[in-house]
Amino acid sequence: VAGDAAERGIAIHAALREVSEKLRPRAGSEPIDEASIARVLDAAASTALSAYRRLPLALQRSERGRLIALLRDWLQIEMARPKYRVFATEYDTTLLLAGILFQLRIDRIDRIGPADQLLVIDYKTAAISANALIGDRPEEPQLAMYALSLPQSVAIAFGQIRSRDCRLTGWSDESTTMRTAEVRLNAPPEEYRGKWSALREHWSDRLEALAVEFRSGVADVNPRNASAWPNWASKPRHWPT
């Protein structure tokens, strides 16, 4: 496999940014001819390959083919979506929690629906579930932070970029839900009364509390699944001072 995990992540993000920007005027609206798609994907693969520090020539051709196939898989999902518009890629924003100003960079923001509402997308090259955003200690808090930094957002989603397993999955306002084989934008779970506003309020409260812990230097061992870590959960920890 070419490069390490960090390099592969940087490479695919760079390629996705280029695809989004070059196809931005037409995505989700007018059909795009195959020749244009091929040119964009080839250029995006070249951009991605430049992210590798050292890639032997023998691997460059196979890696280019892998990247183009992966981008084409993702593009099939993009083209099947209802009309949308890419509003921004790698969008810089901030969020203040417990007096800490977090500097954030959002992978992508789309405008969706007749009201041009905002969908926030975070690309992932590993398998991911929308449930990673649910609970008192979300496993993937950054996407919730992105949503809070954009009060006008009505949906968030992970863009899972994996060979033969690309998908868009997340949570949305009731007016922008979508459910197909590869796109799942669901209304929030019943514990939030199915309301986007209630889910946002939960994120705000919980992330504020976690930021307070961080600022206060709290470092207790507190696994999400305590039953899987009985030794940690049952024994007090004495840290060296």
Side-chain angles (χ1 to χ4, degrees):
V1 177
D4 58 25
E7 282 184 324
R8 292 195 299 274
I10 292 169
I12 194 63
H13 273 71
L16 288 164
R17 180 180 66 249
E18 181 151 343
V19 169
S20 295
E21 290 179 348
K22 288 190 174 179
L23 298 182
R24 179 184 298 187
R26 293 174 291 181
S29 53
E30 298 298 325
I32 304 173
D33 63 274
E34 176 56 31
S36 296
I37 291 174
R39 283 194 299 272
V40 168
L41 297 186
D42 187 66
S46 295
T47 297
L49 288 172
S50 69
Y52 292 108
R53 290 169 294 180
R54 292 179 299 275
L55 189 63
L57 289 174
L59 283 179
Q60 288 188 19
R61 180 175 296 179
S62 62
E63 181 64 3
R64 176 182 291 275
R66 186 190 75 84
L67 286 166
I68 289 175
L70 185 58
L71 292 170
R72 191 174 286 278
D73 284 350
W74 174 251
L75 195 57
Q76 292 302 311
I77 292 175
E78 298 272 52
M79 303 307 293
R81 287 172 53 192
K83 186 176 180 180
Y84 68 93
R85 179 166 58 91
V86 178
F87 171 68
T89 58
E90 297 198 356
Y91 181 84
D92 291 324
T93 184
T94 60
L95 178 66
L96 185 67
L97 293 171
I100 304 171
L101 186 65
F102 290 89
Q103 304 287 337
L104 308 173
R105 175 166 290 177
I106 300 172
D107 285 339
R108 178 170 147 189
I109 305 171
D110 285 0
R111 288 200 176 274
I112 59 174
D116 255 4
Q117 296 162 300
L118 298 186
L119 162 64
V120 178
I121 297 174
D122 188 34
Y123 295 131
K124 293 292 183 184
T125 55
I128 191 71
S129 166
N131 289 329
L133 292 157
I134 300 301
D136 288 343
R137 296 172 61 86
E139 294 177 43
E140 296 284 346
Q142 76 279 3
L143 188 47
M145 294 173 72
Y146 296 163
L148 294 177
S149 76
L150 296 174
Q152 65 272 47
S153 62
V154 298
I156 56 172
F158 293 113
Q160 179 176 298
I161 316 295
R162 287 168 58 84
S163 178
R164 299 184 180 86
D165 190 24
C166 289
R167 63 187 62 204
L168 193 68
T169 178
W171 305 103
S172 75
D173 178 86
E174 309 81 72
S175 67
T176 54
T177 58
M178 188 187 316
R179 195 170 178 85
T180 68
E182 293 87 13
V183 179
R184 302 284 179 90
L185 294 181
N186 293 321
E190 282 305 311
E191 59 199 278
Y192 307 103
R193 307 184 305 281
K195 298 292 185 181
W196 173 250
S197 58
L199 181 56
R200 286 181 60 98
E201 183 178 349
H202 174 79
W203 285 333
S204 181
D205 291 344
R206 290 308 307 149
L207 293 177
E208 181 81 14
L210 291 172
V212 168
E213 290 184 6
F214 175 78
R215 188 185 61 188
S216 303
V218 175
D220 296 342
V221 177
N222 186 17
R224 294 185 187 89
N225 182 6
S227 63
W229 300 89
N231 292 333
W232 286 98
S234 62
K235 296 180 181 179
R237 296 291 148 190
H238 304 284
W239 305 105
T241 58

